[in-house]
Amino acid sequence: MNPSIRKVSAVLGVLMVALFLNLNFVQVVKGSSYRDAPDNSRVLLNEYASPRGQIIVGGSPVAESKATNDELKYLRVYPQGPLYAPVTGFYSITATPSPYLGTEGIEKYEDSVLSGGDSRLFGRRLADILTGRNPRGGNVELTIDAAAQQAAYNAMKDSKGNLRKGAVVAIDPSTGAILAAVSTPSYDPSKLSLHDPSKIDDYYTALTNDPADPLQNRAFNSLYFPGSIFKIVVSAAALKNGVTPDTQVLAPNGYIATTGASVKSCNGDVTNCVENFEGEQCENGKTASLAYALAKSCNTAFAALAVDQLHGQAIADEAKLFGFDPDSQLTIPMGVATSTIGPKSDLVDPGHLAHMAFGQQSVRVSPLEAAMMSAAVANDGTLMTPYLVDRELAPDLSTLSKTKRSEMSQVLSPTLDSELQQMMEGVVTSPEGTAHSAAISGVTVAGKTGTADTGATSASKIQPDAWFTGYAAKNGSAKIAVAVILENAGVNGNEITGGEAAAPVARAVMEAYLKAHP
């Protein structure tokens, strides 16, 4: 071969190798960084080139894409934004402090279906491209009931129309389907989905600077002291251990956990001694039936029961069946905060165990878990796995998948559970009950109230949280289980407790649902 040709060939070979290496470096090594670079608009343009699928409640979209005349061809909108924000989440292009705010809620966890990228939609997407049709994303149909959701949101408003801090979660006890999930105060996802980054930044900054924290999903991701609603768990453990609703249990005005002694007053000993709410007397001041103690919500009775008879492990085992599990990987499909009874050391320390028995110490619960507690009791002792997505749909509305109901645990046998049901009904109907304001004419309502100490000192002027969890049954069948938390709404001294503050919210939700589903 001519030497000149050999030289040219060698140079061309080197250039081809260099080109090959450069292409691999750009596509493999640097591909992700180039794709995600803030000034690369191709990904963004491609993402907004096709309409994203709908998120549907009761046949109507609560999130959908609208055509625009912008460079970004479609705009994500939420027709009833704040009402459904805890479940829809948001779909956003950009916001401070990161280049991409991204997605939250169902928008995030069902993104593959909504965007059309799911492998089950590949054939339809390919056919759309080949025929020149604009590809569309699939749709997601939620379990949320529109009537229950609206009633929950409205009931969270105070007398002036302002949304109070807290959450409402409702569940179908027989299936685990989540019927309502409200977190207040809320926000408008549409304002995080605008095509103007500066407006998104302004709104996002305002939300993050708001001390009420509207972006916090209190329904699924916040943990609270459960207060006396945890007595449902202790009651279930007691029934399993041979205690009956009529069994007389120790119920003094004051109970010292370390010695088991009954006293008239704790005299300031808040570590090892327990008193009833506002110093109330439980029945005769010495003993009370288990049913009376639950209806009246006697702290001393449950503290003594936990320390002297049940002990910590029995309560821990029962709590785990109800869903208090630090190892839980529960998704709905979003991940949820894990409810817990606290460290194992609390199970053997008498003072800690006594306070755990009425939902204080290190016990923490999410509103979802609080609703699951009542749902299990309502469903003859069977706890169903909660879920938020009913069906995933193709763009033509054919079904890609439907969520299968699944049993999570058996918290009580049906026989023992019927006794707990009657006890919880007594909380609403008996003269000593604390939840009279949850009653609905012609409907069986059962529940448990709670006024949970937040751990704040009186000097801080932060009031206890108000709880109610319960269920409504009609014609012998449990229809809906509801949990309500109102932050700092249980006011000591004036006895504005869970029964007076939170129970009316639950009643409004139950009434709305039963009216819509007679």
Side-chain angles (χ1 to χ4, degrees):
M1 181 182 293
N2 187 298
S4 299
I5 294 176
R6 282 200 301 271
K7 291 178 180 179
V8 171
S9 298
V11 171
L12 289 175
V14 171
L15 291 174
M16 290 182 67
V17 170
L19 178 62
F20 176 78
L21 292 174
N22 184 64
L23 285 173
N24 276 272
F25 178 78
V26 170
Q27 294 181 356
V28 179
V29 178
K30 300 292 289 183
S32 296
S33 62
Y34 287 153
R35 183 183 64 247
D36 298 334
D39 55 351
N40 179 14
S41 62
R42 289 188 177 184
V43 173
L44 198 59
L45 291 172
N46 182 64
E47 208 170 319
Y48 281 79
S50 303
R52 191 171 173 83
Q54 296 179 339
I55 300 175
I56 300 168
V57 169
S60 299
V62 295
E64 58 184 333
S65 294
K66 298 286 189 182
T68 73
N69 295 320
D70 301 342
E71 187 179 21
L72 302 180
K73 299 301 183 183
Y74 291 91
L75 174 69
R76 197 64 168 167
V77 295
Y78 303 84
Q80 302 176 72
L83 175 61
Y84 289 100
V87 290
T88 62
F90 54 78
Y91 179 76
S92 184
I93 57 172
T94 179
T96 304
S98 62
Y100 288 90
L101 183 59
T103 55
E104 278 298 333
I106 290 297
E107 291 280 25
K108 177 179 180 179
Y109 291 92
E110 290 290 328
D111 179 67
S112 64
V113 172
L114 294 168
S115 66
D118 191 285
S119 59
R120 293 169 295 178
L121 297 174
F122 176 76
R124 291 178 174 86
R125 195 171 186 84
L126 181 61
D128 287 340
I129 293 172
L130 294 176
T131 58
R133 294 193 301 263
N134 193 17
R136 301 179 64 88
N139 305 296
V140 175
E141 190 173 73
L142 303 183
T143 59
I144 296 293
D145 179 80
Q149 184 79 2
Q150 188 68 65
Y153 190 79
N154 292 343
M156 291 298 283
K157 296 177 181 178
D158 61 21
S159 59
K160 297 180 180 179
N162 299 315
L163 287 166
R164 297 172 287 182
K165 287 196 298 183
V168 182
V169 177
I171 297 176
D172 181 333
S174 64
T175 66
I178 297 173
L179 303 175
V182 164
S183 176
T184 54
S186 189
Y187 65 96
D188 187 354
S190 292
K191 293 183 179 180
L192 292 174
S193 299
L194 298 171
H195 291 172
D196 185 337
S198 64
K199 290 183 178 179
I200 295 177
D201 289 347
D202 289 344
Y203 186 57
Y204 183 69
T205 300
L207 291 174
T208 55
N209 289 336
D210 188 336
D213 197 6
L215 287 173
Q216 175 63 18
N217 192 333
R218 290 171 164 85
F220 302 137
N221 299 135
S222 289
L223 293 175
Y224 302 90
F225 290 101
S228 290
I229 66 170
F230 190 70
K231 291 170 183 173
I232 294 173
V233 175
V234 180
S235 294
L239 292 172
K240 276 187 177 178
N241 282 270
V243 181
T244 71
D246 295 327
T247 298
Q248 292 291 309
V249 296
L250 190 67
N253 289 349
Y255 170 76
I256 300 178
T258 49
T259 64
S262 299
V263 294
K264 292 182 179 180
S265 173
C266 287
N267 293 319
D269 179 7
V270 297
T271 302
N272 297 304
C273 189
V274 172
E275 291 179 327
N276 295 317
F277 179 75
E278 292 297 303
E280 294 175 333
Q281 179 172 299
C282 188
E283 204 156 22
N284 61 20
K286 296 179 181 179
T287 63
S289 69
L290 181 63
Y292 184 100
L294 184 70
K296 182 74 170 178
S297 201
C298 305
N299 293 341
T300 58
F302 281 88
L305 186 63
V307 175
D308 297 341
Q309 296 186 52
L310 300 179
H311 310 299
Q313 194 57 53
I315 295 174
D317 292 343
E318 190 62 26
K320 187 172 183 178
L321 292 174
F322 272 100
F324 289 78
D325 185 359
D327 299 320
S328 172
Q329 300 294 318
L330 178 64
T331 59
I332 58 171
M334 301 100 80
V336 298
T338 303
S339 299
T340 177
I341 61 171
K344 291 183 178 180
S345 58
D346 284 354
L347 303 180
V348 295
D349 183 293
H352 292 183
L353 180 58
H355 287 84
M356 177 200 296
F358 55 97
Q360 297 292 159
Q361 198 56 38
S362 298
V363 188
R364 300 292 186 277
V365 66
S366 69
L368 173 63
E369 168 60 33
M372 290 165 59
M373 290 162 56
S374 287
V377 178
N379 194 39
D380 297 329
T382 301
L383 176 61
M384 304 299 290
T385 303
Y387 62 98
L388 188 55
V389 173
D390 184 31
R391 293 189 299 162
E392 295 175 327
L393 307 172
D396 62 3
L397 300 184
S398 60
T399 299
L400 296 175
S401 70
K402 182 173 176 62
T403 300
K404 295 180 179 179
R405 305 171 185 179
S406 64
E407 182 179 322
M408 192 169 177
S409 64
Q410 188 74 34
V411 303
L412 277 175
S413 69
T415 300
L416 293 179
D417 188 71
S418 66
E419 295 181 346
L420 185 52
Q421 288 177 349
Q422 293 172 23
M423 288 168 59
M424 289 177 64
E425 288 173 24
V427 175
V428 178
T429 61
S430 68
E432 64 275 8
T434 58
H436 296 158
S437 56
I440 302 173
S441 178
V443 176
T444 299
V445 178
K448 184 69 192 80
T449 61
T451 304
D453 187 350
T454 60
T457 63
S458 58
S460 66
K461 297 182 180 179
I462 297 178
Q463 304 297 346
D465 294 335
W467 276 104
F468 176 84
T469 181
Y471 63 89
K474 199 170 184 179
N475 301 323
S477 176
K479 297 284 189 178
I480 183 173
V482 184
V484 178
I485 172 73
L486 289 169
E487 295 182 17
N488 315 129
V491 183
N492 277 323
N494 294 328
E495 295 192 21
I496 300 177
T497 63
E500 295 180 56
V505 176
R507 182 189 64 218
V509 177
M510 293 186 289
E511 284 182 321
Y513 184 76
L514 293 174
K515 182 178 180 181
H517 305 273

